[in-house]
Amino acid sequence: MGEKLRKLLVLYASQTGNALDAAERIGREAERRGCAASIISTDEFDTSSLPHEEAVVFVVSTTGQGDSPDSFKAFWRVLLQRNLGNSWLQRVRYAVFGLGDSGYQKYNFVAKKLDKRLSDLGATTIIEKGLGDDQHPSGYEGTLDPWMLSLWSALYQINPKYFPKGPDVAIPQNEVIDQPKYRILYHKREKLEPELLAESDIIQRARGISPGKIVKEKSKPDCFLKMTRNEVLTKAGSTKDVRHFEFQYVSSTIEYEVGDVVELLPSQNPSDIEAFIERCDLDPESFITVGPRETENTGSCGEVITQLPIKLTNFVELTMDVTSASPRRYFFEVMSFYATAEHEKERLQYFASAEGRDDLYNYNQKERRSVLEVLEDFPSVQIPFEWLVQLVPPLKPRAFSISSSPLAHPSQVHLTVSIVSWITPYKRTRKGLCSSWLASLTPEQETNIPVWFHKGSLPAPSQSLPLILVGPGTGCAPFRGFIAERAIQAQSSPVAPIMFFFGCRNKDTDFLYRDFWESHTREGDILSEEKGGGFYTAFSRDQPKKVYVQHKIREMSKKVWDLLCDGAAVYVAGSSTKMPSDIVSALEEIVSEETGGSKEVASRWLKDLEKAGRYNVEAWS
C-alpha cells in the first residue's frame, strides 16, 4: 500500500472576516489541486495537538496598533509558555500569511511575531511569510495569489503526496463548486408557538443564529439606548460634518468608564432590504432556522447555530450587510455558476480569476459596491439563499469611543461622530452606514438602538496620574470624558495636571467643543497652566505653513518632558494614518534632546513607557 494522501491544516485568526476569507481561499485552492484541507479558527483548535501536525498554514490579521484578533489571544498565550522549549514543534512545517495595513506603524505585527515564535519553538518554515497589505492596489490578494503559488511548489518539493498530479494541475474554477456550509429550514407559520411570532429578543435570536459571527461575541445587546440630542459641531464652511450625539438608557443602565468603547448595531434602509428580498425571490414572511450542513466538521461550522425560528426579513436586516459592505471574491465565483446569461457568466468567471483580480478590485472594493448593487448588475444570477447566508458580509456593530463620563453625565452616553461620505473613482457618492443613519435620527423618533459596551485601548486613569493627551479631530472624543471626569473629581480632592493637544483644519469651522475646553483653561481649572497643565491647539490650514499637533508638542518640549518625569501617561487618539507615528517621532526628539541620548535610546525609552502602561493609543481608519 502506498503512503496516504496528505492533509493541510489552515489555522486562521480573524477580527473582521478578511483572514477567514483568505484561509478559506487557501483551503479551496489546495483542494482544487487534490489536497484535502481543514480550516479552523485558532480559538477552536486544540493547541496541544500542534506538535503532531505535519504542515500548517497560519492566516492572521493585525488590527489597530499591532493588536491581535480576539480569537488569537488564548492560542498565543499557550505559544508563549516558557516550558515548551525550542524543540516543541520540531516535526512541524509551517507558513504564515499576514493581513495588515502599511499605513499603521505596527504593520502586520501579529504575523511577524507568530513567525518568529514558531521558529523559536523548533518549527521549520515552508516558505517566507507573506504580508498582505490593504494599501496594495488589489488589497491583500495582490500578495496572496503569488504567495499561494510558491506555497504549492514548496509543499510538493517536501512531499509529492500533497498534490498527486503536481502543484500546477488544478480543477478549473468553472467546473467545480462546493456545497454551501449552511442549510435553511423553513417553518409553517401556523405551527409556530404564539410567543415566537411576538419576536421578543429578536436581535439576540437573529444574531445568535447568524453564521457571520467571527468571534464568540455576545448576541444579546447589553442594553438599548435612545437618542436625546443630535447637534452639528462643525460650522458652515467646514469640509466635514461632525456631530455630538447624546443618548439615555431605555431599560437597564450599564456601568462604563471613561476611555471605554460602545458598539452600535445600525439599521439598514428598509426599502433596500425589501429590494434585496425581491431581487433574490425570497418570501419575506417565511420563518427560518439556520444550521450547519451535515459535512465533515472542519471546525468552521461544526456547531448547531440555530434554536428558534425567525422571520426571514428580520434575519436579513439584522445579520446580513446587503447595503454597505462589498462582497468578497468568492461571491463572484459562486455567482458565475448561477448566471444564465453567457456574457454575465464570462464576466463573473473573469472577475473570480487571477487575471481579473485588479479589475474586480476596481469594480468592487474601490467603488464599495454593495451586495444589492452587484446582484442588480448581474440580473440573470439567482443564487440559492443558503449561499447568500454564507457569502453576504455580516452586518457588524460599529465601534465608537465614548465622549462622556459617567461621573459628569450620569445615565447618559455621549458620542462624537464624523458623518462619513466620499466620492468613489467613478464619481459615485457613498455614505457610511452607521454614521449617516445616526445623523438621520431625531430624539422625537425614540428609536431603540442596540448597543454593546467594552474596553478599548485607553484605560481609565486614576485621578493622581498626570496626563498628556493628544486628540486631533474626533480623536478628542474620549478626552472630553477624561477632562469632564477629572473636573468633577477636583471639586472634592486633589487631582494631577493634564496637558491636552488638540488639532483641526480651521479654528472658525472645525474647533470641536471649543467652549468646553476653554472653560477648563480658566484660572485654577483642570487645563490651566497654574495647575501644571495646559491646552494647546494646532489649526493646520489657518496659515500658509501647515501646523499639526506634533509641532505643538515639540514647542512645549520642556513641559512635556517634566510631566513625563513626574510619571505622566501619554494617551493618543484619532486617525490611524500618519498621526500616531508623527507623535512618536516628536516624543522621541524630546526624549533624545532632554537626555542627550540617541534616537534608538529614545525609542527604547518610549517602548518601556508603553510596557509600563503609560503610552496608550486608540486609532481608527
Side-chain angles (χ1 to χ4, degrees):
M1 280 181 67
E3 194 180 351
K4 68 174 184 177
L5 297 180
R6 290 294 194 253
K7 188 170 189 176
L8 189 65
L9 174 63
V10 183
L11 293 178
Y12 70 90
S14 190
Q15 193 70 20
T16 63
N18 282 333
L20 168 59
D21 194 51
E24 289 185 333
R25 178 125 186 278
I26 290 167
R28 282 196 305 273
E29 291 296 325
E31 290 182 340
R32 286 180 61 216
R33 288 161 173 79
C35 176
S38 284
I39 302 148
I40 305 177
S41 176
T42 49
D43 61 348
E44 293 176 351
F45 178 71
D46 177 7
T47 315
S48 65
S49 66
L50 190 58
H52 310 296
E53 297 294 337
E54 186 176 87
V56 187
V57 177
F58 292 89
V59 185
V60 293
S61 62
T62 297
T63 65
Q65 301 300 303
D67 302 325
S68 61
D70 295 334
S71 59
F72 185 71
K73 286 172 178 163
F75 178 85
W76 181 242
R77 279 197 297 273
V78 174
L79 290 193
L80 289 181
Q81 289 175 6
R82 289 183 179 175
N83 62 338
L84 296 180
N86 59 9
S87 60
W88 188 59
L89 298 179
Q90 62 183 359
R91 294 190 189 88
V92 179
R93 293 180 184 272
Y94 75 93
V96 173
F97 187 83
L99 289 85
D101 184 330
S102 58
Y104 286 78
Q105 198 180 6
K106 292 187 175 178
Y107 168 57
N108 261 312
F109 183 66
V110 178
K112 291 171 184 175
K113 73 178 183 181
L114 174 62
D115 181 60
K116 183 178 186 307
R117 184 58 180 157
L118 293 169
S119 177
D120 290 346
L121 292 171
T124 306
T125 183
I126 300 168
I127 56 167
E128 177 67 22
K129 64 182 172 289
L131 301 179
D133 185 2
D134 273 356
Q135 303 286 338
H136 188 283
S138 298
Y140 72 84
E141 289 186 329
T143 310
L144 180 61
D145 284 348
W147 185 83
M148 275 196 299
L149 293 176
S150 300
L151 176 65
W152 310 142
S153 298
L155 279 171
Y156 187 69
Q157 293 291 324
I158 291 165
N159 191 332
K161 294 285 183 185
Y162 282 108
F163 306 112
K165 296 180 181 177
D168 303 321
V169 180
I171 303 166
Q173 282 177 326
N174 59 358
E175 289 181 20
V176 64
I177 187 170
D178 301 325
Q179 287 285 309
K181 289 183 192 175
Y182 304 100
R183 57 182 169 77
I184 313 291
L185 295 178
Y186 291 84
H187 302 266
K188 286 199 165 72
R189 192 183 176 96
E190 58 272 16
K191 291 189 177 177
L192 294 175
E193 297 293 323
E195 60 266 25
L196 289 184
L197 301 179
E199 297 172 4
S200 59
D201 274 343
I202 200 158
I203 292 172
Q204 181 183 11
R205 204 185 315 163
R207 296 187 69 76
I209 70 176
S210 165
K213 288 168 65 177
I214 303 303
V215 292
K216 293 182 171 65
E217 63 204 19
K218 284 191 290 186
S219 304
K220 187 174 184 178
D222 289 334
C223 67
F224 288 85
L225 297 179
K226 183 170 63 180
M227 184 181 286
T228 56
R229 192 172 177 193
N230 178 345
E231 178 191 351
V232 181
L233 294 176
T234 41
K235 304 289 190 290
S238 173
T239 57
K240 296 184 176 179
D241 175 2
V242 178
R243 304 288 178 104
H244 171 75
F245 296 120
E246 294 184 7
F247 306 89
Q248 67 184 36
Y249 297 100
V250 173
S251 48
S252 54
T253 302
I254 301 297
E255 297 293 324
Y256 72 88
E257 294 184 294
V258 292
D260 284 358
V261 169
V262 67
E263 291 188 335
L264 282 65
L265 186 69
S267 281
Q268 302 183 80
N269 186 323
S271 61
D272 287 339
I273 297 295
E274 209 174 291
F276 172 80
I277 288 172
E278 190 176 320
R279 166 65 186 81
C280 298
D281 199 21
L282 302 171
D283 175 7
E285 296 300 314
S286 61
F287 277 74
I288 61 167
T289 50
V290 181
R293 186 170 293 280
E294 296 302 321
T295 59
E296 180 191 350
N297 177 19
T298 61
S300 51
C301 58
E303 55 187 305
V304 175
I305 297 169
T306 182
Q307 290 136 12
L308 300 171
I310 186 168
K311 192 189 277 189
L312 185 142
T313 303
N314 296 137
F315 182 80
V316 171
E317 68 187 356
L318 291 169
T319 72
M320 299 169 69
D321 191 340
V322 301
T323 62
S324 75
S326 296
R328 304 188 189 280
R329 185 164 157 184
Y330 190 40
F331 187 76
F332 293 86
E333 187 179 326
V334 174
M335 278 179 75
S336 71
F337 286 91
Y338 294 100
T340 53
E342 198 55 40
H343 68 285
E344 289 184 16
K345 184 182 280 288
E346 285 176 8
R347 190 172 180 219
L348 288 163
Q349 286 172 350
Y350 170 67
F351 274 162
S353 70
E355 299 75 41
R357 184 188 66 216
D358 292 352
D359 285 336
L360 174 62
Y361 191 78
N362 289 330
Y363 164 81
N364 186 41
Q365 289 99 313
K366 271 201 157 181
E367 286 297 303
R368 276 293 287 275
R369 276 184 218 275
S370 68
V371 168
L372 178 57
E373 288 172 325
V374 170
L375 288 170
E376 286 173 342
D377 279 353
F378 296 91
S380 81
V381 174
Q382 202 63 46
I383 302 188
F385 189 46
E386 286 84 351
W387 272 119
L388 292 168
V389 167
Q390 178 179 332
L391 296 177
V392 170
L395 181 66
K396 297 183 189 125
R398 271 51 169 184
F400 297 95
S401 296
I402 297 173
S403 56
S404 51
S405 151
L407 203 60
H409 314 100
S411 302
Q412 296 178 44
V413 177
H414 298 180
L415 299 180
T416 310
V417 179
S418 182
I419 311 307
V420 180
S421 175
W422 74 100
I423 306 293
T424 72
Y426 286 103
K427 308 298 180 204
R428 291 152 27 101
T429 300
R430 310 304 280 167
K431 293 184 176 179
L433 173 63
C434 191
S435 64
S436 57
W437 171 65
L438 284 173
S440 73
L441 296 180
T442 63
E444 293 72 35
Q445 290 169 307
E446 299 199 335
T447 302
N448 287 351
I449 304 167
V451 298
W452 294 259
F453 289 84
H454 61 81
K455 295 293 166 196
S457 308
L458 305 176
S462 73
Q463 65 187 68
S464 59
L465 180 68
L467 299 176
I468 298 168
L469 309 177
V470 185
T474 53
C476 70
F479 305 139
R480 179 178 178 268
F482 279 36
I483 290 164
E485 181 146 303
R486 195 159 285 194
I488 297 287
Q489 292 165 338
Q491 292 171 7
S492 56
S493 56
V495 296
I498 298 177
M499 290 181 77
F500 177 39
F501 294 88
F502 172 78
C504 62
R505 292 170 76 93
N506 302 106
K507 183 176 183 178
D508 292 337
T509 57
D510 305 300
F511 197 168
L512 309 179
Y513 300 118
R514 177 178 182 173
D515 293 345
F516 174 79
W517 312 125
E518 291 182 345
S519 72
H520 287 297
T521 60
R522 294 189 193 117
E523 190 175 338
D525 215 317
I526 289 297
L527 294 176
S528 65
E529 306 244 339
E530 302 85 48
K531 288 287 183 181
F535 176 53
Y536 310 95
T537 52
F539 305 110
S540 61
R541 304 300 196 277
D542 279 354
Q543 59 285 309
K545 190 177 179 185
K546 292 174 185 172
V547 176
Y548 295 110
V549 280
Q550 61 266 27
H551 300 126
K552 292 294 177 180
I553 289 170
R554 286 193 188 97
E555 280 179 24
M556 301 305 301
S557 61
K558 181 75 175 74
K559 190 167 183 176
V560 167
W561 175 247
D562 288 345
L563 209 55
L564 284 171
C565 291
D566 286 343
V570 178
Y571 284 75
V572 180
S575 167
S576 64
T577 44
K578 281 182 86 262
M579 187 271 296
S581 56
D582 287 340
I583 303 306
V584 168
S585 298
L587 290 171
E588 280 177 350
E589 278 183 33
I590 292 172
V591 174
S592 186
E593 282 168 17
E594 296 293 337
T595 62
S598 65
K599 186 177 183 295
E600 288 70 31
V601 170
S603 178
R604 276 203 303 277
W605 196 92
L606 287 176
K607 281 193 171 69
D608 289 341
L609 203 67
E610 189 178 352
K611 282 179 187 167
R614 288 172 53 208
Y615 197 102
N616 304 286
V617 180
E618 184 136 283
W620 50 84
S621 52

